[in-house]
Amino acid sequence: MVRYLQSVDVPEHRIVLITPPPLCEAAWERECLAQGCKLNRLNSVVGEYAGACLQVARECGTDVLDLWSLMQKAGPDFSAFLSDGLHLSPAGNEFLFSHLWPLIEKKASPLPLLLPGWRDVAEAQPELSLLGDGDH
């Protein structure tokens, strides 16, 4: 994925990789059993994927958000971050956002504003504000 982005001229400093979140095996096993199958994933294997993501980020010079580690460090019961043991819950999405937003903000803050703020757009003739043909 990183190589593809590089091939279309996305510089490394604009890329953020995110490791998978941890797996709550007990909750995921309940989901699997409800579907008529046995547990098909292990958190230790997810940790290997997370480690590979960290390694790729180091090798490619990109930023990385280690969600797998951060969620487990947040407390012994990280299952609140997962809706079914595997997928992010609303709390998990909030956790991800709270850690990802500072990285995005750091990357986006030096970018110029190309369009006016929404309050600065003339309601009657928005094209005047957006196309730069007038001062609304």
Side-chain angles (χ1 to χ4, degrees):
M1 288 186 282
V2 174
R3 284 191 185 123
Y4 170 75
L5 291 172
Q6 292 168 331
S7 77
V8 294
D9 298 325
V10 176
E12 292 80 10
H13 69 274
R14 295 234 173 117
I15 299 171
V16 178
L17 298 181
I18 304 173
T19 69
L23 174 74
C24 178
E25 292 175 11
W28 184 243
E29 184 173 32
R30 285 191 296 276
E31 286 292 317
C32 291
L33 292 173
Q35 299 297 322
C37 58
K38 60 182 182 172
L39 179 66
N40 57 11
R41 289 171 171 77
L42 297 173
N43 192 42
S44 61
V45 175
V46 177
E48 291 177 27
Y49 278 97
C53 183
L54 294 169
Q55 182 178 343
V56 167
R58 276 191 303 274
E59 291 171 1
C60 295
T62 66
D63 282 341
V64 63
L65 177 60
D66 186 0
L67 196 57
W68 189 80
S69 296
L70 285 170
M71 283 187 166
Q72 292 179 95
K73 288 179 184 171
D77 185 20
F78 61 86
S79 66
F81 297 132
L82 305 166
S83 62
D84 57 6
L86 176 65
H87 302 97
L88 294 179
S89 66
N93 283 310
E94 288 178 26
F95 184 89
L96 171 60
F97 175 81
S98 72
H99 288 84
L100 183 59
W101 182 248
L103 289 172
I104 293 173
E105 203 167 38
K106 180 178 80 174
K107 291 178 178 306
S109 64
L111 297 175
L113 293 176
L114 300 177
L115 297 172
W118 67 272
R119 290 181 185 194
D120 298 326
V121 175
E123 191 174 324
Q125 292 182 296
E127 64 277 2
L128 294 179
S129 304
L130 298 173
L131 299 176
D133 294 332
D135 208 11
H136 67 276

